[in-house]
PDB file of all heavy atoms in Angstrom:
ATOM      1  N   ALA A   1       0.848  -1.193   0.000  1.00 98.00           N
ATOM      2  CA  ALA A   1       0.000   0.000   0.000  1.00 98.00           C
ATOM      3  C   ALA A   1       0.883   1.242   0.000  1.00 98.00           C
ATOM      4  O   ALA A   1       2.105   1.166   0.158  1.00 98.00           O
ATOM      5  CB  ALA A   1      -0.919  -0.005   1.212  1.00 98.00           C
ATOM      6  N   TYR A   2       0.223   2.387  -0.178  1.00 98.00           N
ATOM      7  CA  TYR A   2       0.920   3.675  -0.224  1.00 98.00           C
ATOM      8  C   TYR A   2       0.303   4.608   0.803  1.00 98.00           C
ATOM      9  O   TYR A   2      -0.923   4.659   0.970  1.00 98.00           O
ATOM     10  CB  TYR A   2       0.831   4.277  -1.624  1.00 98.00           C
ATOM     11  CG  TYR A   2       1.543   3.445  -2.660  1.00 98.00           C
ATOM     12  CD1 TYR A   2       0.906   2.374  -3.278  1.00 98.00           C
ATOM     13  CD2 TYR A   2       2.875   3.704  -2.997  1.00 98.00           C
ATOM     14  CE1 TYR A   2       1.562   1.587  -4.216  1.00 98.00           C
ATOM     15  CE2 TYR A   2       3.539   2.932  -3.932  1.00 98.00           C
ATOM     16  CZ  TYR A   2       2.875   1.871  -4.535  1.00 98.00           C
ATOM     17  OH  TYR A   2       3.537   1.102  -5.457  1.00 98.00           O
ATOM     18  N   LEU A   3       1.185   5.367   1.465  1.00 97.00           N
ATOM     19  CA  LEU A   3       0.802   6.258   2.553  1.00 97.00           C
ATOM     20  C   LEU A   3       1.488   7.597   2.316  1.00 97.00           C
ATOM     21  O   LEU A   3       2.648   7.640   1.893  1.00 97.00           O
ATOM     22  CB  LEU A   3       1.255   5.643   3.879  1.00 97.00           C
ATOM     23  CG  LEU A   3       0.839   6.291   5.197  1.00 97.00           C
ATOM     24  CD1 LEU A   3      -0.635   5.990   5.487  1.00 97.00           C
ATOM     25  CD2 LEU A   3       1.700   5.717   6.342  1.00 97.00           C
ATOM     26  N   ARG A   4       0.766   8.696   2.581  1.00 94.00           N
ATOM     27  CA  ARG A   4       1.416  10.010   2.503  1.00 94.00           C
ATOM     28  C   ARG A   4       2.544  10.076   3.524  1.00 94.00           C
ATOM     29  O   ARG A   4       2.378   9.687   4.691  1.00 94.00           O
ATOM     30  CB  ARG A   4       0.415  11.132   2.788  1.00 94.00           C
ATOM     31  CG  ARG A   4      -0.517  11.485   1.660  1.00 94.00           C
ATOM     32  CD  ARG A   4       0.171  12.068   0.452  1.00 94.00           C
ATOM     33  NE  ARG A   4       0.842  13.329   0.671  1.00 94.00           N
ATOM     34  CZ  ARG A   4       0.340  14.523   0.323  1.00 94.00           C
ATOM     35  NH1 ARG A   4      -0.857  14.599  -0.247  1.00 94.00           N
ATOM     36  NH2 ARG A   4       1.023  15.619   0.538  1.00 94.00           N
ATOM     37  N   VAL A   5       3.692  10.556   3.115  1.00 93.00           N
ATOM     38  CA  VAL A   5       4.810  10.714   4.043  1.00 93.00           C
ATOM     39  C   VAL A   5       4.398  11.681   5.153  1.00 93.00           C
ATOM     40  O   VAL A   5       3.839  12.747   4.891  1.00 93.00           O
ATOM     41  CB  VAL A   5       6.059  11.226   3.294  1.00 93.00           C
ATOM     42  CG1 VAL A   5       7.143  11.637   4.279  1.00 93.00           C
ATOM     43  CG2 VAL A   5       6.581  10.159   2.349  1.00 93.00           C
ATOM     44  N   GLY A   6       4.639  11.287   6.393  1.00 90.00           N
ATOM     45  CA  GLY A   6       4.260  12.108   7.532  1.00 90.00           C
ATOM     46  C   GLY A   6       2.838  11.898   8.016  1.00 90.00           C
ATOM     47  O   GLY A   6       2.396  12.585   8.949  1.00 90.00           O
ATOM     48  N   GLN A   7       2.113  10.961   7.400  1.00 91.00           N
ATOM     49  CA  GLN A   7       0.734  10.696   7.791  1.00 91.00           C
ATOM     50  C   GLN A   7       0.650  10.270   9.263  1.00 91.00           C
ATOM     51  O   GLN A   7       1.374   9.381   9.709  1.00 91.00           O
ATOM     52  CB  GLN A   7       0.152   9.580   6.920  1.00 91.00           C
ATOM     53  CG  GLN A   7      -1.227   9.084   7.323  1.00 91.00           C
ATOM     54  CD  GLN A   7      -2.307  10.086   7.019  1.00 91.00           C
ATOM     55  OE1 GLN A   7      -2.462  10.510   5.879  1.00 91.00           O
ATOM     56  NE2 GLN A   7      -3.052  10.473   8.031  1.00 91.00           N
ATOM     57  N   VAL A   8      -0.220  10.915  10.014  1.00 92.00           N
ATOM     58  CA  VAL A   8      -0.439  10.554  11.410  1.00 92.00           C
ATOM     59  C   VAL A   8      -1.402   9.369  11.478  1.00 92.00           C
ATOM     60  O   VAL A   8      -2.427   9.345  10.788  1.00 92.00           O
ATOM     61  CB  VAL A   8      -1.015  11.743  12.203  1.00 92.00           C
ATOM     62  CG1 VAL A   8      -1.365  11.330  13.628  1.00 92.00           C
ATOM     63  CG2 VAL A   8      -0.015  12.895  12.209  1.00 92.00           C
ATOM     64  N   VAL A   9      -1.063   8.377  12.281  1.00 94.00           N
ATOM     65  CA  VAL A   9      -1.932   7.215  12.464  1.00 94.00           C
ATOM     66  C   VAL A   9      -2.742   7.416  13.747  1.00 94.00           C
ATOM     67  O   VAL A   9      -2.174   7.436  14.845  1.00 94.00           O
ATOM     68  CB  VAL A   9      -1.115   5.915  12.560  1.00 94.00           C
ATOM     69  CG1 VAL A   9      -2.038   4.715  12.784  1.00 94.00           C
ATOM     70  CG2 VAL A   9      -0.267   5.718  11.311  1.00 94.00           C
ATOM     71  N   PRO A  10      -4.056   7.608  13.642  1.00 95.00           N
ATOM     72  CA  PRO A  10      -4.864   7.823  14.849  1.00 95.00           C
ATOM     73  C   PRO A  10      -4.770   6.636  15.808  1.00 95.00           C
ATOM     74  O   PRO A  10      -4.629   5.484  15.389  1.00 95.00           O
ATOM     75  CB  PRO A  10      -6.287   7.972  14.296  1.00 95.00           C
ATOM     76  CG  PRO A  10      -6.108   8.381  12.869  1.00 95.00           C
ATOM     77  CD  PRO A  10      -4.871   7.682  12.417  1.00 95.00           C
ATOM     78  N   ARG A  11      -4.878   6.929  17.075  1.00 93.00           N
ATOM     79  CA  ARG A  11      -4.794   5.869  18.083  1.00 93.00           C
ATOM     80  C   ARG A  11      -6.152   5.311  18.461  1.00 93.00           C
ATOM     81  O   ARG A  11      -6.238   4.237  19.064  1.00 93.00           O
ATOM     82  CB  ARG A  11      -4.097   6.411  19.340  1.00 93.00           C
ATOM     83  CG  ARG A  11      -2.641   6.788  19.111  1.00 93.00           C
ATOM     84  CD  ARG A  11      -1.975   7.193  20.414  1.00 93.00           C
ATOM     85  NE  ARG A  11      -0.562   7.498  20.233  1.00 93.00           N
ATOM     86  CZ  ARG A  11       0.266   7.817  21.220  1.00 93.00           C
ATOM     87  NH1 ARG A  11      -0.192   7.876  22.481  1.00 93.00           N
ATOM     88  NH2 ARG A  11       1.539   8.074  20.975  1.00 93.00           N
ATOM     89  N   GLN A  12      -7.210   6.046  18.136  1.00 94.00           N
ATOM     90  CA  GLN A  12      -8.555   5.617  18.529  1.00 94.00           C
ATOM     91  C   GLN A  12      -9.449   5.477  17.310  1.00 94.00           C
ATOM     92  O   GLN A  12      -9.280   6.168  16.311  1.00 94.00           O
ATOM     93  CB  GLN A  12      -9.178   6.621  19.502  1.00 94.00           C
ATOM     94  CG  GLN A  12      -8.484   6.701  20.850  1.00 94.00           C
ATOM     95  CD  GLN A  12      -9.194   7.684  21.773  1.00 94.00           C
ATOM     96  OE1 GLN A  12      -9.620   8.759  21.342  1.00 94.00           O
ATOM     97  NE2 GLN A  12      -9.329   7.318  23.044  1.00 94.00           N
ATOM     98  N   ASP A  13     -10.419   4.566  17.430  1.00 94.00           N
ATOM     99  CA  ASP A  13     -11.459   4.427  16.408  1.00 94.00           C
ATOM    100  C   ASP A  13     -12.513   5.495  16.637  1.00 94.00           C
ATOM    101  O   ASP A  13     -13.118   5.562  17.711  1.00 94.00           O
ATOM    102  CB  ASP A  13     -12.112   3.044  16.488  1.00 94.00           C
ATOM    103  CG  ASP A  13     -11.203   1.946  15.960  1.00 94.00           C
ATOM    104  OD1 ASP A  13     -10.615   2.145  14.885  1.00 94.00           O
ATOM    105  OD2 ASP A  13     -11.087   0.895  16.618  1.00 94.00           O
ATOM    106  N   ARG A  14     -12.728   6.346  15.648  1.00 95.00           N
ATOM    107  CA  ARG A  14     -13.754   7.380  15.742  1.00 95.00           C
ATOM    108  C   ARG A  14     -14.480   7.466  14.412  1.00 95.00           C
ATOM    109  O   ARG A  14     -13.977   7.048  13.381  1.00 95.00           O
ATOM    110  CB  ARG A  14     -13.151   8.741  16.100  1.00 95.00           C
ATOM    111  CG  ARG A  14     -12.465   8.788  17.440  1.00 95.00           C
ATOM    112  CD  ARG A  14     -12.501  10.187  18.039  1.00 95.00           C
ATOM    113  NE  ARG A  14     -11.967  11.210  17.162  1.00 95.00           N
ATOM    114  CZ  ARG A  14     -10.688  11.571  17.118  1.00 95.00           C
ATOM    115  NH1 ARG A  14      -9.811  10.964  17.875  1.00 95.00           N
ATOM    116  NH2 ARG A  14     -10.292  12.542  16.311  1.00 95.00           N
ATOM    117  N   GLY A  15     -15.651   8.069  14.445  1.00 97.00           N
ATOM    118  CA  GLY A  15     -16.418   8.272  13.236  1.00 97.00           C
ATOM    119  C   GLY A  15     -17.711   7.487  13.240  1.00 97.00           C
ATOM    120  O   GLY A  15     -17.690   6.255  13.216  1.00 97.00           O
ATOM    121  N   THR A  16     -18.836   8.197  13.303  1.00 98.00           N
ATOM    122  CA  THR A  16     -20.164   7.573  13.285  1.00 98.00           C
ATOM    123  C   THR A  16     -21.002   8.289  12.241  1.00 98.00           C
ATOM    124  O   THR A  16     -21.149   9.524  12.298  1.00 98.00           O
ATOM    125  CB  THR A  16     -20.829   7.661  14.670  1.00 98.00           C
ATOM    126  OG1 THR A  16     -20.053   6.892  15.605  1.00 98.00           O
ATOM    127  CG2 THR A  16     -22.256   7.126  14.628  1.00 98.00           C
ATOM    128  N   ALA A  17     -21.546   7.537  11.285  1.00 98.00           N
ATOM    129  CA  ALA A  17     -22.304   8.159  10.196  1.00 98.00           C
ATOM    130  C   ALA A  17     -23.021   7.096   9.375  1.00 98.00           C
ATOM    131  O   ALA A  17     -22.582   5.950   9.283  1.00 98.00           O
ATOM    132  CB  ALA A  17     -21.380   8.960   9.284  1.00 98.00           C
ATOM    133  N   LEU A  18     -24.103   7.515   8.740  1.00 98.00           N
ATOM    134  CA  LEU A  18     -24.739   6.729   7.686  1.00 98.00           C
ATOM    135  C   LEU A  18     -24.032   7.050   6.373  1.00 98.00           C
ATOM    136  O   LEU A  18     -23.754   8.217   6.083  1.00 98.00           O
ATOM    137  CB  LEU A  18     -26.220   7.078   7.581  1.00 98.00           C
ATOM    138  CG  LEU A  18     -27.117   6.510   8.676  1.00 98.00           C
ATOM    139  CD1 LEU A  18     -28.422   7.306   8.765  1.00 98.00           C
ATOM    140  CD2 LEU A  18     -27.413   5.031   8.407  1.00 98.00           C
ATOM    141  N   LEU A  19     -23.746   6.029   5.588  1.00 98.00           N
ATOM    142  CA  LEU A  19     -23.037   6.203   4.323  1.00 98.00           C
ATOM    143  C   LEU A  19     -23.957   5.830   3.169  1.00 98.00           C
ATOM    144  O   LEU A  19     -24.448   4.700   3.101  1.00 98.00           O
ATOM    145  CB  LEU A  19     -21.800   5.308   4.272  1.00 98.00           C
ATOM    146  CG  LEU A  19     -20.813   5.417   5.445  1.00 98.00           C
ATOM    147  CD1 LEU A  19     -19.682   4.421   5.266  1.00 98.00           C
ATOM    148  CD2 LEU A  19     -20.275   6.832   5.563  1.00 98.00           C
ATOM    149  N   CYS A  20     -24.156   6.768   2.248  1.00 97.00           N
ATOM    150  CA  CYS A  20     -24.964   6.445   1.079  1.00 97.00           C
ATOM    151  C   CYS A  20     -24.181   5.481   0.181  1.00 97.00           C
ATOM    152  O   CYS A  20     -22.957   5.356   0.305  1.00 97.00           O
ATOM    153  CB  CYS A  20     -25.371   7.705   0.326  1.00 97.00           C
ATOM    154  SG  CYS A  20     -24.187   8.281  -0.901  1.00 97.00           S
ATOM    155  N   PRO A  21     -24.865   4.773  -0.714  1.00 96.00           N
ATOM    156  CA  PRO A  21     -24.171   3.779  -1.544  1.00 96.00           C
ATOM    157  C   PRO A  21     -23.029   4.336  -2.381  1.00 96.00           C
ATOM    158  O   PRO A  21     -22.167   3.570  -2.824  1.00 96.00           O
ATOM    159  CB  PRO A  21     -25.297   3.239  -2.433  1.00 96.00           C
ATOM    160  CG  PRO A  21     -26.535   3.409  -1.612  1.00 96.00           C
ATOM    161  CD  PRO A  21     -26.327   4.702  -0.884  1.00 96.00           C
ATOM    162  N   PHE A  22     -23.002   5.660  -2.601  1.00 97.00           N
ATOM    163  CA  PHE A  22     -21.960   6.251  -3.432  1.00 97.00           C
ATOM    164  C   PHE A  22     -21.005   7.117  -2.621  1.00 97.00           C
ATOM    165  O   PHE A  22     -20.368   8.029  -3.152  1.00 97.00           O
ATOM    166  CB  PHE A  22     -22.601   7.063  -4.565  1.00 97.00           C
ATOM    167  CG  PHE A  22     -23.501   6.237  -5.446  1.00 97.00           C
ATOM    168  CD1 PHE A  22     -24.880   6.280  -5.288  1.00 97.00           C
ATOM    169  CD2 PHE A  22     -22.970   5.397  -6.405  1.00 97.00           C
ATOM    170  CE1 PHE A  22     -25.717   5.512  -6.088  1.00 97.00           C
ATOM    171  CE2 PHE A  22     -23.792   4.620  -7.211  1.00 97.00           C
ATOM    172  CZ  PHE A  22     -25.161   4.678  -7.051  1.00 97.00           C
ATOM    173  N   ASP A  23     -20.885   6.830  -1.324  1.00 98.00           N
ATOM    174  CA  ASP A  23     -19.956   7.576  -0.474  1.00 98.00           C
ATOM    175  C   ASP A  23     -18.517   7.232  -0.850  1.00 98.00           C
ATOM    176  O   ASP A  23     -18.189   6.067  -1.087  1.00 98.00           O
ATOM    177  CB  ASP A  23     -20.199   7.239   0.992  1.00 98.00           C
ATOM    178  CG  ASP A  23     -19.471   8.181   1.930  1.00 98.00           C
ATOM    179  OD1 ASP A  23     -18.242   8.031   2.108  1.00 98.00           O
ATOM    180  OD2 ASP A  23     -20.126   9.086   2.474  1.00 98.00           O
ATOM    181  N   PRO A  24     -17.617   8.231  -0.899  1.00 98.00           N
ATOM    182  CA  PRO A  24     -16.227   7.943  -1.278  1.00 98.00           C
ATOM    183  C   PRO A  24     -15.524   6.925  -0.387  1.00 98.00           C
ATOM    184  O   PRO A  24     -14.608   6.253  -0.854  1.00 98.00           O
ATOM    185  CB  PRO A  24     -15.548   9.316  -1.183  1.00 98.00           C
ATOM    186  CG  PRO A  24     -16.645  10.298  -1.409  1.00 98.00           C
ATOM    187  CD  PRO A  24     -17.870   9.684  -0.778  1.00 98.00           C
ATOM    188  N   LEU A  25     -15.919   6.814   0.879  1.00 98.00           N
ATOM    189  CA  LEU A  25     -15.282   5.823   1.747  1.00 98.00           C
ATOM    190  C   LEU A  25     -15.510   4.404   1.238  1.00 98.00           C
ATOM    191  O   LEU A  25     -14.685   3.520   1.466  1.00 98.00           O
ATOM    192  CB  LEU A  25     -15.805   5.951   3.186  1.00 98.00           C
ATOM    193  CG  LEU A  25     -15.215   4.970   4.209  1.00 98.00           C
ATOM    194  CD1 LEU A  25     -13.716   5.174   4.371  1.00 98.00           C
ATOM    195  CD2 LEU A  25     -15.913   5.104   5.565  1.00 98.00           C
ATOM    196  N   ILE A  26     -16.618   4.177   0.536  1.00 97.00           N
ATOM    197  CA  ILE A  26     -16.954   2.815   0.105  1.00 97.00           C
ATOM    198  C   ILE A  26     -17.021   2.692  -1.417  1.00 97.00           C
ATOM    199  O   ILE A  26     -17.668   1.794  -1.944  1.00 97.00           O
ATOM    200  CB  ILE A  26     -18.264   2.335   0.758  1.00 97.00           C
ATOM    201  CG1 ILE A  26     -19.427   3.288   0.461  1.00 97.00           C
ATOM    202  CG2 ILE A  26     -18.080   2.192   2.274  1.00 97.00           C
ATOM    203  CD1 ILE A  26     -20.780   2.769   0.936  1.00 97.00           C
ATOM    204  N   PHE A  27     -16.330   3.590  -2.135  1.00 95.00           N
ATOM    205  CA  PHE A  27     -16.306   3.522  -3.601  1.00 95.00           C
ATOM    206  C   PHE A  27     -15.909   2.130  -4.102  1.00 95.00           C
ATOM    207  O   PHE A  27     -16.553   1.558  -4.965  1.00 95.00           O
ATOM    208  CB  PHE A  27     -15.276   4.520  -4.154  1.00 95.00           C
ATOM    209  CG  PHE A  27     -15.797   5.901  -4.416  1.00 95.00           C
ATOM    210  CD1 PHE A  27     -14.914   6.958  -4.625  1.00 95.00           C
ATOM    211  CD2 PHE A  27     -17.154   6.169  -4.488  1.00 95.00           C
ATOM    212  CE1 PHE A  27     -15.368   8.241  -4.887  1.00 95.00           C
ATOM    213  CE2 PHE A  27     -17.620   7.450  -4.746  1.00 95.00           C
ATOM    214  CZ  PHE A  27     -16.715   8.481  -4.942  1.00 95.00           C
ATOM    215  N   PHE A  28     -14.789   1.632  -3.595  1.00 97.00           N
ATOM    216  CA  PHE A  28     -14.159   0.433  -4.152  1.00 97.00           C
ATOM    217  C   PHE A  28     -14.429  -0.748  -3.245  1.00 97.00           C
ATOM    218  O   PHE A  28     -13.891  -0.838  -2.145  1.00 97.00           O
ATOM    219  CB  PHE A  28     -12.656   0.689  -4.309  1.00 97.00           C
ATOM    220  CG  PHE A  28     -11.930  -0.313  -5.144  1.00 97.00           C
ATOM    221  CD1 PHE A  28     -12.460  -0.790  -6.333  1.00 97.00           C
ATOM    222  CD2 PHE A  28     -10.680  -0.781  -4.748  1.00 97.00           C
ATOM    223  CE1 PHE A  28     -11.770  -1.711  -7.112  1.00 97.00           C
ATOM    224  CE2 PHE A  28      -9.970  -1.690  -5.520  1.00 97.00           C
ATOM    225  CZ  PHE A  28     -10.528  -2.163  -6.710  1.00 97.00           C
ATOM    226  N   ARG A  29     -15.301  -1.638  -3.690  1.00 96.00           N
ATOM    227  CA  ARG A  29     -15.798  -2.708  -2.817  1.00 96.00           C
ATOM    228  C   ARG A  29     -14.704  -3.650  -2.301  1.00 96.00           C
ATOM    229  O   ARG A  29     -14.753  -4.045  -1.120  1.00 96.00           O
ATOM    230  CB  ARG A  29     -16.896  -3.501  -3.515  1.00 96.00           C
ATOM    231  CG  ARG A  29     -18.012  -2.671  -4.149  1.00 96.00           C
ATOM    232  CD  ARG A  29     -18.592  -1.596  -3.242  1.00 96.00           C
ATOM    233  NE  ARG A  29     -19.733  -0.933  -3.871  1.00 96.00           N
ATOM    234  CZ  ARG A  29     -20.173   0.267  -3.578  1.00 96.00           C
ATOM    235  NH1 ARG A  29     -19.584   0.979  -2.655  1.00 96.00           N
ATOM    236  NH2 ARG A  29     -21.224   0.775  -4.186  1.00 96.00           N
ATOM    237  N   PRO A  30     -13.712  -4.042  -3.117  1.00 96.00           N
ATOM    238  CA  PRO A  30     -12.647  -4.886  -2.545  1.00 96.00           C
ATOM    239  C   PRO A  30     -11.911  -4.205  -1.393  1.00 96.00           C
ATOM    240  O   PRO A  30     -11.521  -4.871  -0.423  1.00 96.00           O
ATOM    241  CB  PRO A  30     -11.712  -5.126  -3.744  1.00 96.00           C
ATOM    242  CG  PRO A  30     -12.588  -4.977  -4.945  1.00 96.00           C
ATOM    243  CD  PRO A  30     -13.560  -3.890  -4.577  1.00 96.00           C
ATOM    244  N   ARG A  31     -11.718  -2.903  -1.487  1.00 97.00           N
ATOM    245  CA  ARG A  31     -11.065  -2.160  -0.406  1.00 97.00           C
ATOM    246  C   ARG A  31     -11.931  -2.162   0.848  1.00 97.00           C
ATOM    247  O   ARG A  31     -11.425  -2.301   1.975  1.00 97.00           O
ATOM    248  CB  ARG A  31     -10.787  -0.734  -0.876  1.00 97.00           C
ATOM    249  CG  ARG A  31     -10.332   0.226   0.215  1.00 97.00           C
ATOM    250  CD  ARG A  31     -10.150   1.619  -0.388  1.00 97.00           C
ATOM    251  NE  ARG A  31     -10.070   2.655   0.626  1.00 97.00           N
ATOM    252  CZ  ARG A  31      -8.992   2.971   1.307  1.00 97.00           C
ATOM    253  NH1 ARG A  31      -7.879   2.301   1.105  1.00 97.00           N
ATOM    254  NH2 ARG A  31      -9.016   3.938   2.203  1.00 97.00           N
ATOM    255  N   VAL A  32     -13.240  -2.004   0.676  1.00 98.00           N
ATOM    256  CA  VAL A  32     -14.162  -2.027   1.815  1.00 98.00           C
ATOM    257  C   VAL A  32     -14.032  -3.348   2.570  1.00 98.00           C
ATOM    258  O   VAL A  32     -13.981  -3.375   3.803  1.00 98.00           O
ATOM    259  CB  VAL A  32     -15.610  -1.801   1.345  1.00 98.00           C
ATOM    260  CG1 VAL A  32     -16.591  -1.982   2.502  1.00 98.00           C
ATOM    261  CG2 VAL A  32     -15.763  -0.410   0.746  1.00 98.00           C
ATOM    262  N   GLU A  33     -13.965  -4.449   1.831  1.00 97.00           N
ATOM    263  CA  GLU A  33     -13.842  -5.760   2.476  1.00 97.00           C
ATOM    264  C   GLU A  33     -12.523  -5.872   3.232  1.00 97.00           C
ATOM    265  O   GLU A  33     -12.471  -6.446   4.326  1.00 97.00           O
ATOM    266  CB  GLU A  33     -13.971  -6.862   1.424  1.00 97.00           C
ATOM    267  CG  GLU A  33     -15.372  -6.935   0.818  1.00 97.00           C
ATOM    268  CD  GLU A  33     -15.562  -8.152  -0.081  1.00 97.00           C
ATOM    269  OE1 GLU A  33     -14.924  -9.191   0.182  1.00 97.00           O
ATOM    270  OE2 GLU A  33     -16.348  -8.060  -1.042  1.00 97.00           O
ATOM    271  N   ARG A  34     -11.439  -5.334   2.658  1.00 96.00           N
ATOM    272  CA  ARG A  34     -10.143  -5.391   3.342  1.00 96.00           C
ATOM    273  C   ARG A  34     -10.132  -4.529   4.599  1.00 96.00           C
ATOM    274  O   ARG A  34      -9.588  -4.919   5.643  1.00 96.00           O
ATOM    275  CB  ARG A  34      -9.039  -4.904   2.392  1.00 96.00           C
ATOM    276  CG  ARG A  34      -8.483  -5.970   1.479  1.00 96.00           C
ATOM    277  CD  ARG A  34      -7.314  -5.438   0.666  1.00 96.00           C
ATOM    278  NE  ARG A  34      -7.752  -4.814  -0.567  1.00 96.00           N
ATOM    279  CZ  ARG A  34      -7.592  -3.542  -0.878  1.00 96.00           C
ATOM    280  NH1 ARG A  34      -6.994  -2.719  -0.032  1.00 96.00           N
ATOM    281  NH2 ARG A  34      -8.010  -3.055  -2.024  1.00 96.00           N
ATOM    282  N   LEU A  35     -10.716  -3.337   4.496  1.00 97.00           N
ATOM    283  CA  LEU A  35     -10.663  -2.396   5.611  1.00 97.00           C
ATOM    284  C   LEU A  35     -11.559  -2.794   6.767  1.00 97.00           C
ATOM    285  O   LEU A  35     -11.216  -2.582   7.940  1.00 97.00           O
ATOM    286  CB  LEU A  35     -11.078  -0.998   5.140  1.00 97.00           C
ATOM    287  CG  LEU A  35     -10.052  -0.132   4.426  1.00 97.00           C
ATOM    288  CD1 LEU A  35     -10.709   1.135   3.918  1.00 97.00           C
ATOM    289  CD2 LEU A  35      -8.876   0.213   5.347  1.00 97.00           C
ATOM    290  N   PHE A  36     -12.721  -3.353   6.447  1.00 97.00           N
ATOM    291  CA  PHE A  36     -13.757  -3.526   7.469  1.00 97.00           C
ATOM    292  C   PHE A  36     -14.110  -4.992   7.699  1.00 97.00           C
ATOM    293  O   PHE A  36     -15.275  -5.363   7.774  1.00 97.00           O
ATOM    294  CB  PHE A  36     -14.998  -2.716   7.092  1.00 97.00           C
ATOM    295  CG  PHE A  36     -14.760  -1.236   7.050  1.00 97.00           C
ATOM    296  CD1 PHE A  36     -14.611  -0.572   5.838  1.00 97.00           C
ATOM    297  CD2 PHE A  36     -14.647  -0.503   8.217  1.00 97.00           C
ATOM    298  CE1 PHE A  36     -14.377   0.791   5.787  1.00 97.00           C
ATOM    299  CE2 PHE A  36     -14.415   0.863   8.186  1.00 97.00           C
ATOM    300  CZ  PHE A  36     -14.278   1.514   6.967  1.00 97.00           C
ATOM    301  N   GLY A  37     -13.080  -5.808   7.809  1.00 92.00           N
ATOM    302  CA  GLY A  37     -13.259  -7.174   8.258  1.00 92.00           C
ATOM    303  C   GLY A  37     -14.200  -8.008   7.419  1.00 92.00           C
ATOM    304  O   GLY A  37     -15.000  -8.784   7.972  1.00 92.00           O
ATOM    305  N   GLY A  38     -14.125  -7.868   6.098  1.00 92.00           N
ATOM    306  CA  GLY A  38     -14.952  -8.686   5.225  1.00 92.00           C
ATOM    307  C   GLY A  38     -16.335  -8.142   4.970  1.00 92.00           C
ATOM    308  O   GLY A  38     -17.209  -8.878   4.485  1.00 92.00           O
TER     309      GLY A  38
END
């Protein structure tokens, strides 16, 4: 994978929201499965 140089890695899980089917966080379905435990 690729990461911006100097990227800060958060220590806590945060973020609560409803995501529409075309939200950028879930654009690419294979990535969604990798990021969010299948």
Side-chain angles (χ1 to χ4, degrees):
Y2 296 85
L3 187 75
R4 282 295 297 259
V5 170
Q7 173 72 57
V8 175
V9 179
R11 295 185 177 183
Q12 294 182 319
D13 287 314
R14 298 208 306 271
T16 296
L18 285 160
L19 307 177
C20 87
F22 301 101
D23 192 283
L25 180 63
I26 56 173
F27 271 166
F28 193 43
R29 310 312 185 203
R31 170 182 164 82
V32 174
E33 293 188 31
R34 275 185 272 117
L35 279 174
F36 296 103

